[in-house]
Amino acid sequence: MTAEVFYDDNADLSIIQGKKVAVLGYGSQGHAHALSLRDSGVDVVIGLPEGSKSREKAQEQGLRVETPADASAWADVTMVLAPDTAQRKLYAEAIEPNLTAGKALFFGHGLNIRYGFITPPANVDVAMVAPKGPGHLVRRQYVDGKGVPVLVAVEQDATGEAFPLTLSYAKAIGGLRAGGIKTTFKEETETDLFGEQAVLCGGASALVQTGFEVLTEAGYAPEIAYFECLHELKLIVDLMYEGGIARMRYSVSDTAEYGDYSRGPRVIDGRVKEEMKRILSEVQSGEFAREWIAEDDNGRPNFTKWRQEGAAHPIEETGRKLRGMMSWVDRPITETA
Ligand SMILES: NC(=O)C1=CN([C@@H]2O[C@H](COP(=O)(O)OP(=O)(O)OC[C@H]3O[C@@H](n4cnc5c(N)ncnc54)[C@H](OP(=O)(O)O)[C@@H]3O)[C@@H](O)[C@H]2O)C=CC1
Ligand SMILES: CC[C@](O)(C(C)=O)C(=O)O
Ligand SMILES: [Mg+2]
Ligand SMILES: [Mg+2]
């Protein structure tokens, strides 16, 4: 089935400009949505718990900060951009008591709705604007006059106006400059979780680290292994981004292209595909979501251990040293793009 794609001309910015919007959370996505909404002429308030370390950042950037409950009580539209693991409690304590009929509850990712951790009342709109990119780049692209594509979905249309409102919000954060694809909470959640686990974050990190390990364990210089397996990957992916895999293959040597066809499928082989299918099944059944919420409820023991191990991988030290010599590479990820 062909996806329906919406661009700036298909959305009316004045709809969201006429609403009071609470953005709960001021991290990667929260700061990007809030600053771009504000720059698009929308009345925005940030909702953060007392003592949150994000409060100072939001205030420094000229935004009004309230508690999540006060921000939700004030708002017509509440966008939930707290961590997925915090949303269940945040909803029960601060949002639900203030979610009166006709208001709208927005999400940047569908996990809590898809797996039933949050069930809003029937008399409110429930919708999603989910950027297909990291929040810091969502803001950077908006500032640069570009945009990161978004997925837009309406789970519940109590007012009959939920979809135009969703498109209007998506336009205000720059998403419709690149395109907004209409989808469902189910499709966004399942494809997003699969993509980040198997390809974008999990698959890519494991591929890079393993390539680096194979070269350094064979005695090659870590600096060469870093350039070969990590730094140059961005340049290769840039070509795919601009013109597809065919454009990348046009630009690399015939030798590289022959190695690509003859060796690539030996690395990403049938076993890898079978494992990807198992990962997708765990996403679809809710097994992954239940495991992750339980890990968080339990104080994140595995997450913390794996984060420490990842940060201690030799590729990180090599990269830090080399990036220090490339002023244009280590562009800091800041809250102002
Ligand atoms: N990261 C990304 O680029 C993407 C994220 N998403 C989705 O966006 C949502 C937000 O993720 P992300 O931006 O990564 O989150 P981050 O971890 O970057 O930021 C979370 C923010 O929420 C605040 N926070 C923590 N607890 C609460 C609470 N109880 N009430 C209100 N605010 C709270 C944090 O404050 P403090 O400083 O105190 O910790 C921080 O400001 C998730 O649903 C995620 O799946 C979707 C697309 C991409
Ligand atoms: C790829 C990871 C992501 O899904 C994203 C930036 O789109 C996330 O959850 O952060
Ligand atoms: Mg994503
Ligand atoms: Mg995600």
Side-chain angles (χ1 to χ4, degrees):
M1 201 177 72
T2 318
E4 260 186 285
V5 189
F6 297 83
Y7 294 96
D8 273 347
D9 286 350
N10 307 121
D12 177 359
L13 191 58
S14 72
I15 299 174
I16 196 71
Q17 286 171 330
K19 303 285 186 191
K20 293 181 281 186
V21 179
V23 174
L24 307 188
Y26 199 73
S28 181
Q29 287 294 325
H31 90 282
H33 290 229
L35 292 173
S36 301
L37 284 163
R38 180 196 64 189
D39 294 350
S40 295
V42 180
D43 193 6
V44 184
V45 162
I46 309 303
L48 286 166
E50 306 281 3
S52 159
K53 55 186 185 304
S54 300
R55 281 189 155 235
E56 204 179 312
K57 272 190 238 165
Q59 279 159 346
E60 272 168 16
Q61 279 147 16
L63 291 160
R64 209 168 98 210
V65 181
E66 309 271 1
T67 63
D70 286 348
S72 303
W74 165 85
D76 305 309
V77 177
T78 295
M79 168 53 103
V80 186
L81 293 173
D84 294 306
T85 45
Q87 292 181 11
R88 188 181 32 153
K89 192 156 171 267
L90 171 67
Y91 175 79
E93 291 175 357
I95 305 173
E96 192 176 21
N98 297 298
L99 204 51
T100 49
K103 287 195 175 190
L105 181 62
F106 274 39
F107 292 86
H109 174 51
L111 186 143
N112 279 275
I113 294 288
R114 162 66 182 87
Y115 300 111
F117 297 114
I118 292 176
T119 308
N123 59 4
V124 299
D125 291 343
V126 180
M128 170 165 48
V129 178
K132 289 288 93 189
H136 298 96
L137 303 190
V138 171
R139 176 60 181 162
R140 190 185 286 176
Q141 294 240 336
Y142 176 91
V143 170
D144 290 348
K146 304 178 205 160
V148 168
V150 290
L151 299 191
V152 287
V154 171
E155 177 79 3
Q156 212 167 266
D157 189 3
T159 63
E161 300 297 331
F163 193 60
L165 174 65
T166 307
L167 282 184
S168 183
Y169 183 111
K171 180 172 179 169
I173 64 165
L176 301 193
R177 294 171 182 168
I181 299 182
K182 189 174 184 184
T183 183
T184 59
F185 271 58
K186 180 178 180 338
E187 187 175 47
E188 184 278 339
T189 306
E190 294 174 9
T191 53
D192 189 79
L193 292 175
F194 173 78
E196 67 200 19
Q197 293 171 19
V199 181
L200 302 173
C201 305
S205 302
L207 188 68
V208 168
Q209 286 178 336
T210 305
F212 179 89
E213 286 165 14
V214 167
L215 284 179
T216 53
E217 284 166 16
Y220 296 99
E223 292 80 3
I224 292 177
Y226 177 86
F227 281 144
E228 194 57 46
C229 299
L230 190 151
H231 181 93
E232 194 172 346
L233 181 62
K234 183 212 177 323
L235 308 179
I236 292 292
V237 171
D238 278 349
L239 293 175
M240 292 188 191
Y241 174 92
E242 287 163 21
I245 292 172
R247 167 77 65 86
M248 180 277 285
R249 286 176 172 160
Y250 166 77
S251 197
V252 301
S253 63
D254 287 354
T255 307
E257 191 175 349
Y258 178 76
D260 167 345
Y261 299 132
S262 63
R263 271 36 179 199
R266 282 170 51 188
V267 176
I268 307 300
D269 60 8
R271 194 205 59 80
V272 173
K273 192 166 181 182
E274 284 310 308
E275 197 56 47
M276 283 193 182
K277 286 182 183 173
R278 271 193 288 279
I279 286 170
L280 181 59
S281 301
E282 290 163 14
V283 164
Q284 290 168 328
S285 68
E287 183 183 336
F288 169 78
R290 287 190 293 277
E291 175 189 316
W292 171 219
I293 296 291
E295 165 79 6
D296 184 72
D297 286 348
N298 201 20
R300 300 188 174 200
N302 292 306
F303 180 87
T304 307
K305 179 169 79 74
W306 293 331
R307 181 180 265 182
Q308 283 164 355
E309 285 169 3
H313 192 282
I315 198 170
E316 299 302 330
E317 185 49 35
T318 304
R320 244 189 314 277
K321 202 172 68 187
L322 293 172
R323 289 191 301 272
M325 303 302 287
M326 293 180 274
S327 56
W328 67 94
V329 168
D330 201 7
R331 186 172 169 179
I333 293 289
T334 69
E335 272 61 41
T336 50

